[in-house]
Amino acid sequence: EYPENVKFRIIEMPKTLFHDDFGALKIAFASMLENYHILCSGDKGTGKNCFIETWAWITQRPLYAISINRDTDKLDLMGSRTIDANIEDGNVINKIAFSPEVMLEAMEVGGIINIDEINFADPGVTGLLHSICDDRRSIEVPGYRKVSADENFCVMGTMNIDYQGTNELNEALSDRFIDVVFPANTSIFDVLVRACPNAPESEVQKADRIYQKMYSIVQDRDSSLDSSCLTVRGFIQGLNMAKVLGLKQALKV
């Protein structure tokens, strides 16, 4: 049972369910039984966030999310002190209060928090997760109190490997996660069929053949194609715009 004010975070059936062909959901189940946390690592467009949404739907736990960038700091994860102004007997009384952020709420109610692009964070920020993700499952928050995690609380992070501007997770943090490695997409036909239900199958097949050829070329280290061209979202956008632009022009765009 979850408080009324967080029930909106328990998602209904996602529009796109994770297609599990390498046992990721079974790993998540085994991890859940032991209260372990999960790190989803792999190339872009391999379904990491889709996997987390599907898992949150299966377990019917509130799902919280925070996207990490270079400017994310400890306050964004934990919260900060604020000034509450109240009127008493006609006088304004200012009081210092602490406003918690999503990490603390997820811990207390027993939700899942998705830390997206976790390796973009400064190591000083991710260091906060050490006591949360090990057997202590708690953190002492200055100016607030000690917050202990509910037994259903779980951290799930996503990480694209070798992205520009990312940091390598230190061993102390990575050791606290079960690492689920998402295999690269050699074919995206099934993804495109689910994401573009109105696209003609012939166009989906053409798009997939182009992707497979590009993937093959990128694997050649002497290739002139950069791996950044392998964007699943780009092919989805192209198929969706093809009804106006035509497939060839849409994929060029």
Side-chain angles (χ1 to χ4, degrees), residues 68-73 118-127 167:
I68 299 297
N69 57 60
R70 298 293 295 175
D71 297 324
T72 301
D73 59 23
I118 190 172
N119 55 334
F120 270 103
D122 184 272
V125 175
T126 54
N167 300 299

Side-chain angles (χ1 to χ4, degrees), residues 145-208:
R145 59 184 171 81
K146 181 180 180 179
V147 178
S148 298
D150 181 271
E151 64 178 357
N152 285 336
F153 171 71
C154 176
V155 177
M156 301 184 80
T158 68
M159 183 173 74
N160 291 314
I161 301 172
D162 295 331
Y163 261 30
Q164 184 177 358
T166 58
N167 300 299
E168 185 175 352
L169 293 188
N170 67 61
E171 188 175 341
L173 180 61
S174 61
D175 196 45
R176 286 164 163 79
F177 286 90
I178 303 300
D179 193 9
V180 181
V181 181
F182 285 63
N185 293 312
T186 56
S187 169
I188 58 173
F189 179 80
D190 291 338
V191 176
L192 297 180
V193 167
R194 293 194 300 271
C196 309
N198 297 322
E201 184 174 337
S202 60
E203 292 194 349
V204 175
Q205 290 174 340
K206 289 178 182 177
D208 184 48

Side-chain angles (χ1 to χ4, degrees), residues 84-113:
D84 283 348
N86 298 302
I87 298 178
E88 298 180 7
D89 299 326
N91 298 315
V92 178
I93 307 298
N94 292 322
K95 295 181 179 180
I96 303 296
F98 187 88
S99 178
E101 285 293 343
V102 290
M103 174 66 76
L104 299 186
E105 183 176 316
M107 290 177 65
E108 292 182 311
V109 304
I112 295 172
I113 185 163

